[in-house]
Amino acid sequence: MSTATVEKPEAAADNGASHKITVTFRIRRFNPEVSAEASWQDFAIDIDPKERVLDALHQIKWEEDGTLTFRRSCAHGICGSDAMRINGRNRLACKTLIKDLNPAKPISVEAIKGLTVLKDLIVDMEPFFQAYRDVMPFLVTSGNEPTRERRQSAADRERFDDTTKCILCAACTSSCPVFWNDGQYFGPAAIVNAHRFIFDSRDEAGEQRLEILNDKDGVWRCRTTFNCTDACPRGIEVTKAIAEVKQALITRRF
């Protein structure tokens, strides 16, 4: 008769601990109540490299320094609230694995650029959301309220399918050099969300949105650097969407 061996709890714990390595996180800290200047602070923690950067931030906040401040909500890449610059690139902390960042070297974490830092990794998102509101990100129709759903063909739906993926994380907008230099620019995320309705066959406010984006701070400010497309955690072809809005402005066909 074969016998099965049962691993002792302490042995299992040892095996789990053996997967951990020491990783240094270099975090850009800012607290306006303490200093007008930001500074870098290092935290060396033991963590499994298969964990996410968000898990590391939790560990630092819960076990090392409770004053560390950052945003997060769903922790599964849907809410977009934990966008930050990790090793110089805009990413979602909840979707970035430590093992993919060369954990043998310090991993830098800082707030996204182009928006005012309020504390540590938190920025003032109001200008970003104001630009979003300005492009009328909702369906506009005329006539009486329908008694059934507004149907459209699969081809019509596919026309704007890519831009429905936006989660308003601001990773694209805060990666844009034009936005860094001039916060009045609508930014890629607002244009993407305008695109989503401009090319919706059920909507009737396409011309109005195009005129909003035809402003001096609108779509023509884009310099096609592709930073926004590279930064998007949802894989949206942001630069392509912007180009399609420009084309619609020229031809008035959408």
Side-chain angles (χ1 to χ4, degrees):
M1 180 182 295
S2 62
T3 58
T5 59
V6 178
E7 189 175 19
K8 293 182 179 180
E10 58 269 23
D14 289 342
N15 289 339
S18 67
H19 293 299
K20 294 184 178 182
I21 62 174
T22 301
V23 182
T24 298
F25 285 85
R26 184 161 294 160
I27 302 176
R28 189 168 178 80
R29 306 293 305 274
F30 173 68
N31 185 346
E33 297 179 358
V34 175
S35 173
E37 300 295 326
S39 61
W40 293 92
Q41 183 176 2
D42 287 0
F43 295 91
I45 61 172
D46 294 331
I47 193 168
D48 189 324
K50 294 190 293 296
E51 298 283 10
R52 308 163 300 172
V53 170
L54 180 60
D55 298 313
L57 293 176
H58 282 154
Q59 184 171 327
I60 292 169
K61 182 173 180 64
W62 296 339
E63 301 178 12
E64 304 291 334
D65 186 345
T67 67
L68 178 63
T69 307
F70 53 92
R71 286 190 178 106
R72 65 101 175 91
S73 185
C74 76
H76 288 87
I78 301 300
C79 72
S81 60
D82 64 346
M84 55 191 72
R85 283 175 64 84
I86 302 170
N87 279 359
R89 285 185 54 193
N90 284 8
R91 315 172 196 246
L92 296 184
C94 63
K95 294 191 69 176
T96 306
L97 300 182
I98 296 169
K99 69 181 181 64
D100 295 334
L101 297 171
N102 189 9
K105 296 181 178 180
I107 295 172
S108 66
V109 184
E110 57 188 312
I112 53 178
K113 297 176 66 175
L115 294 163
T116 302
V117 179
L118 300 179
K119 186 178 181 184
D120 290 343
L121 305 177
I122 290 182
V123 298
D124 180 7
M125 294 286 286
E126 179 53 28
F128 171 82
F129 283 118
Q130 185 57 57
Y132 170 70
R133 291 190 290 266
D134 286 345
V135 299
M136 303 165 56
F138 44 81
L139 194 71
V140 178
T141 61
S142 59
N144 297 326
E145 182 177 345
T147 57
R148 53 185 263 180
E149 69 273 16
R150 292 184 172 90
R151 295 179 178 179
Q152 63 183 173
S153 69
D156 284 342
R157 176 61 175 78
E158 186 179 5
R159 181 67 185 84
F160 61 91
D161 185 68
D162 194 42
T163 48
T164 64
K165 301 174 187 174
C166 178
I167 55 175
L168 297 174
C169 65
C172 65
T173 295
S174 61
S175 73
C176 175
V178 177
F179 187 78
W180 298 341
N181 294 325
D182 183 359
Q184 298 303 308
Y185 173 43
F186 275 90
I191 299 171
V192 159
N193 281 278
H195 177 287
R196 179 258 175 272
F197 289 99
I198 289 170
F199 293 95
D200 189 329
S201 61
R202 301 164 299 178
D203 186 82
E204 299 174 16
E207 285 285 354
Q208 190 174 348
R209 291 191 191 88
L210 287 176
E211 283 307 313
I212 291 170
L213 293 177
N214 201 25
D215 183 83
K216 64 182 179 65
D217 294 318
V219 70
W220 302 113
R221 296 293 304 279
C222 172
R223 294 296 178 265
T224 320
T225 64
F226 286 90
N227 282 25
C228 51
T229 298
D230 292 341
C232 179
R234 300 284 288 176
I236 299 171
E237 295 182 273
V238 180
T239 310
K240 178 183 176 183
I242 295 173
E244 289 179 348
V245 172
K246 289 180 178 179
Q247 184 67 23
L249 268 168
I250 294 171
T251 64
R252 295 294 167 161
R253 296 176 62 187
F254 46 88

